[in-house]
Amino acid sequence: MKFPQNNIIDNWLSENGNPEIARLVEKNLALTEKINSILKERGIKKGEFAEMLGKNPSEVSKWLSGAHNLTMKSINKMEFVLGIDLINIEPITEVKYVYLGLIQGGELENAMNDYEDSNYNIAM
Amino acid sequence: MNNFAHIKPIAQYKKVCYYSVCINEEELSLFEDFIKQHTATNEKKLDHILNWLKVIGNKYGAQTHHFRPEGETADTSALPPKGVDRKPQYTEYGKKKANNLRLYCLRANKHIVFLFSGDIKTSQTAQNCPNVKKHFKLANLITKAIDNAFINKDIVWNDDCTQIECNEDFKIYF
């Protein structure tokens, strides 16, 4: 069976979709898929995970569905019991100033050939 | 009079192929009609569901926890999954609100999903909701008919079970 050239889902999203909703779905799913894969890797069953979190198993199932609006508190709790970082916040980069000076010279070629430390000191 | 449907391929992603069905002689599939119906009235809720289909289609594959079970007489599912009922991620006018738009479907395996129709669910159960009841019942009927078609080998899997094959004129009676 052949699929149509036009993907109606993609077409609809590019014509009508809200990028904010797209981002939310993508991030929510990425987060819960990561937790699900860690649980699988470590052989932790959902019921055991609920116990670790001190939560009801049905509530944890909803957390892990990917459509739940997870709070910072619940994300933090999962990070704590699993000993992982689910969210990595980029550190604030300090502003670094670069001082540019002018080295006097004629043609570029000459300036490169005549370059001496003393010229650099003048520029400073 | 018996109703019948034929399978229509909808969209192919890296990890999931989506199909739908056209009822009787209709040209538009149930899913295409669902999009058409809800674009005007429930655009944001539809946006959420279509994004969901795209992301799981491209990245994760159709896993059971991505769907909510909605079986009555067959193994029907729906989107979005259950998490939306408690603290939904879907927001409207800045307020958290459940995405009560339902799209009924059949998750045949991790790579193949049949998309049917749906509507805004207004009651606790689909059977009691005047909007979704007919979509819920229809999805269950077609799911059962498709399951039987798999059993009878009228629909077959390809080698790695990532696509299905059937005769072009194959009709599913339900």
Side-chain angles (χ1 to χ4, degrees):
Chain A
M1 299 183 92
K2 281 190 178 174
F3 284 88
Q5 293 281 330
N6 282 329
N7 179 328
I8 59 163
I9 298 170
D10 285 352
N11 287 353
W12 191 96
L13 289 171
S14 60
E15 279 171 32
N16 310 285
N18 177 343
E20 205 178 316
I21 294 177
R23 197 178 156 91
L24 203 57
V25 171
E26 181 124 19
K27 291 219 168 191
N28 242 354
L29 264 168
L31 198 72
T32 52
E33 289 304 310
K34 186 170 177 181
I35 300 164
N36 277 315
S37 72
I38 289 167
L39 294 182
K40 199 175 170 186
E41 195 183 294
R42 296 186 187 176
I44 302 170
K45 290 179 181 163
K46 300 257 169 79
E48 291 168 0
F49 188 47
E51 223 168 274
M52 287 161 78
L53 294 164
K55 296 279 173 189
N56 195 311
S58 65
E59 191 174 354
V60 174
S61 285
K62 284 171 182 174
W63 283 14
L64 300 180
S65 71
H68 188 85
N69 189 24
L70 290 165
T71 62
M72 202 61 203
K73 199 175 166 188
S74 45
I75 293 170
N76 184 54
K77 188 141 188 141
M78 288 191 281
E79 286 185 323
F80 180 74
V81 300
L82 293 173
I84 52 162
D85 276 338
L86 290 168
I87 299 175
N88 286 310
I89 299 164
E90 293 277 323
I92 298 167
T93 326
E94 280 183 37
V95 177
K96 287 177 187 167
Y97 292 98
V98 178
Y99 295 95
L100 298 174
L102 176 72
I103 300 171
Q104 292 194 347
E107 295 295 318
L108 180 63
E109 193 74 20
N110 293 338
M112 284 165 71
N113 293 335
D114 296 345
Y115 175 76
E116 283 177 13
D117 281 348
S118 56
N119 288 340
Y120 180 73
N121 288 335
I122 294 164
M124 291 295 287
Chain B
M1 186 189 130
N2 273 347
N3 281 313
F4 63 87
H6 70 264
I7 297 170
K8 185 171 183 178
I10 294 292
Q12 187 175 25
Y13 288 95
K14 283 177 208 158
K15 298 203 170 177
V16 183
C17 287
Y18 293 108
Y19 298 84
S20 188
V21 291
C22 301
I23 304 292
N24 298 331
E25 302 294 340
E26 293 291 330
E27 265 190 42
L28 274 190
S29 67
L30 288 179
F31 178 65
E32 288 165 307
D33 196 45
F34 169 81
I35 290 184
K36 198 175 155 189
Q37 295 288 326
H38 295 284
T39 295
T41 46
N42 299 300
E43 194 182 53
K44 283 188 181 175
K45 293 174 183 181
L46 180 62
D47 193 352
H48 178 219
I49 287 177
L50 295 183
N51 266 298
W52 192 267
L53 292 175
K54 185 178 176 176
V55 177
I56 64 171
N58 272 332
K59 284 194 177 175
Y60 305 110
Q63 298 175 48
T64 45
H65 65 266
H66 294 140
F67 298 81
R68 68 170 64 215
E70 290 282 353
E72 186 189 44
T73 54
D75 194 18
T76 305
S77 309
L79 285 172
K82 275 200 162 174
V84 292
D85 280 347
R86 202 168 282 190
K87 287 179 183 172
Q89 62 152 319
Y90 170 76
T91 57
E92 200 169 84
Y93 304 114
K95 289 179 183 171
K96 286 175 185 171
K97 200 173 177 183
N99 185 354
N100 52 358
L101 179 62
R102 295 285 181 272
L103 169 63
Y104 292 96
C105 38
L106 161 61
R107 178 194 163 275
N109 71 7
K110 199 180 167 185
H111 306 288
I112 292 166
V113 178
F114 289 87
L115 305 169
F116 305 128
S117 55
D119 207 335
I120 297 286
K121 190 179 170 207
T122 55
S123 300
Q124 191 69 25
T125 61
Q127 289 92 333
N128 290 331
C129 173
N131 292 342
V132 301
K133 187 179 175 181
K134 62 178 177 187
H135 302 286
F136 168 80
K137 295 274 181 191
L138 179 64
N140 270 277
L141 276 176
I142 300 172
T143 296
K144 197 170 186 178
I146 292 175
D147 279 344
N148 285 335
F150 274 114
I151 292 166
N152 298 331
K153 311 261 184 225
D154 293 321
I155 305 174
V156 293
W157 308 96
N158 68 350
D159 290 343
D160 53 1
C161 298
T162 53
Q163 284 188 41
I164 55 164
E165 291 296 335
C166 67
N167 285 335
E168 273 186 26
D169 55 355
F170 172 64
K171 287 175 181 168
I172 302 160
Y173 288 92
F174 59 94

